[in-house]
Amino acid sequence: MSLRFGLVGAGGIAGSYLQVFAGLADAAIVGVVDVDAGAANRLSTALDAQAAGSIDELVAKTDLDAVIVCTPPDSHPRVALAAIGAGHGVLCA
């Protein structure tokens, strides 16, 4: 079974995670959300993942095991609580 991750934030920090995920056979990023919808769409297309318009949409419409939070620190509580509330694990960067 492969672990399914949602990526919240498609900026610089997310790039570090992409490098790690490229070498993993048992984990994949399956959903992406960013305040810049264009950035989320480009990254989701490159990863063959789903793009979402918000964290709430990501956790509601994407089959996830966990969420990786790659957003500015002041948004971490809101994003983490939304993911936890939906029953997902959370990794904050």
Side-chain angles (χ1 to χ4, degrees):
M1 177 180 146
S2 185
L3 292 173
R4 300 166 310 264
F5 289 85
L7 187 62
V8 183
I13 295 297
S16 297
Y17 284 96
L18 297 179
Q19 291 175 0
V20 171
F21 274 82
L24 300 177
D26 57 352
I29 296 172
V30 298
V32 179
V33 65
D34 193 277
V35 294
D36 178 346
N41 286 329
R42 286 187 296 278
L43 186 54
S44 65
T45 298
L47 297 171
D48 194 25
Q50 296 179 18
S54 69
I55 179 61
D56 297 320
E57 181 183 343
L58 179 71
V59 298
K61 294 187 176 181
T62 310
D63 187 16
L64 302 173
D65 295 303
V67 170
I68 301 169
V69 183
C70 298
T71 60
D74 65 336
S75 67
H76 286 184
R78 158 118 172 70
V79 172
L81 289 172
I84 291 166
H88 303 305
V90 175
L91 173 65
C92 279

